[in-house]
Amino acid sequence: DEWNEVALNLAKNIEREIMPLFGTKKAGEFVGFSPSGDKTKLVDKIAEDIVLEHLKPLGVNVVSEETGNIDVGSEYTVVVDPLDGSFNFIHGIPIFGFSFAVFKNKNPVYAMLYEFITKNVYEGIPGEGAYLNGKKIQVRPLKEDSISISFYTRGRGIKLAEKVKRTRVLGAIAVELAYLARGSLDGVADVRNYVRPTDIAASYVIAKEAGAIITDDKGNNLKFRLDVTERLNIIAVNDGKLLELILSVI
Ligand code: IPD
Ligand code: CA
Ligand code: CA
């Protein structure tokens, strides 16, 4: 309950500061490199500064996409991507979100994904379920003749595109995993060995709680460290049959 307030308050503060920059050149001004080697843009910096300012008084460890790992020896670690989908934001594509996940001694206790344009709030409460604006959500049942997935590849498993009905690669994996959780997509996969824990931590919890199966590129349960420099492959699906299909082509 308290984490929900912290997260929502943060989301609203970030929203207020960044939305005036949506689709502007200014949003994309280069300000430095992140610990994982990505370029930090002005909008990322503005959003992240708000996160750090709000979390500092709480005395928790923070793993944030642009700054990296801040370990203050707390049993709580908050894994944040202040803005997932920066490219979309900067270029006026309305798919991006705020990703916030809390871990206690490495176990998830709360997760939120906030979508700025739709104002949708997705939450994951481990052992309890996943919610969209307070209403329970579930992955949808797979229909094998009309599979819709988001699939990030640089060629690996490209033939998967021939075996599904629709591919939608939206540029904000945190948001796409939330779409899986609510039953809008059947699967989300990224086999570029590129996704970071900050991109997926919150939506991992949300999708899991909504019934998704989430593995690495070998089909083993996905494991990740609460660390900003780690790079991952992820396959998240609503059904084991789709997992088998994806594993058979990659
Ligand atoms: C990006 C998004 C995107 C994924 C990239 C990430 P960012 O995060 O999650 O979906 O394909 O790998 O870097 O940089 O916009 O926070
Ligand atoms: Ca991200
Ligand atoms: Ca980001």
Side-chain angles (χ1 to χ4, degrees), residues 50-235:
I50 297 168
V51 169
L52 297 180
E53 177 196 316
H54 277 71
L55 293 182
K56 199 162 187 197
L58 303 183
V60 294
N61 307 327
V62 179
V63 175
S64 191
E65 201 154 277
E66 312 301 335
T67 305
N69 310 330
I70 304 172
D71 189 346
V72 297
S74 170
E75 58 181 355
Y76 287 98
T77 302
V78 181
V79 182
V80 205
D81 186 352
L83 178 62
D84 188 57
S86 292
F87 177 91
N88 286 351
F89 181 94
I90 293 162
H91 295 88
I93 300 170
I95 298 174
F96 47 87
F98 165 67
S99 166
F100 179 97
V102 186
F103 294 79
K104 185 178 184 187
N105 300 322
K106 314 246 182 306
N107 298 310
V109 294
Y110 178 78
M112 178 185 285
L113 186 279
Y114 179 70
E115 242 195 311
F116 295 99
I117 297 286
T118 60
K119 301 190 184 296
N120 278 333
V121 179
Y122 296 86
E123 293 173 285
I125 305 184
E128 241 181 67
Y131 303 85
L132 165 55
N133 301 326
K135 290 208 184 89
K136 234 182 180 153
I137 49 172
Q138 274 274 291
V139 295
R140 71 173 174 215
L142 181 71
K143 285 210 227 107
E144 283 171 87
D145 58 351
S146 73
I147 299 174
S148 304
I149 58 164
S150 163
F151 183 49
Y152 290 86
T153 179
R154 291 204 170 96
R156 182 178 179 190
I158 192 74
K159 283 204 172 302
L160 183 58
E162 294 171 6
K163 299 184 189 290
V164 298
K165 185 157 181 190
R166 301 179 190 88
T167 48
R168 298 281 184 276
V169 188
L170 305 176
I173 197 164
V175 176
E176 292 163 276
L177 286 166
Y179 292 171
L180 166 66
R182 70 179 287 185
S184 303
L185 290 171
D186 296 297
V188 179
D190 190 328
V191 296
R192 301 172 300 162
N193 198 35
Y194 191 73
V195 161
R196 293 152 294 190
T198 46
D199 295 318
I200 56 151
S203 295
Y204 169 90
V205 177
I206 295 164
K208 261 241 135 110
E209 287 300 318
I213 303 167
I214 308 183
T215 76
D216 62 16
D217 58 337
K218 306 280 186 301
N220 299 316
N221 281 334
L222 183 68
K223 292 210 172 65
F224 54 90
R225 285 178 291 120
L226 307 183
D227 181 312
V228 82
T229 57
E230 188 168 27
R231 295 287 188 170
L232 308 159
N233 289 307
I234 178 174
I235 303 172

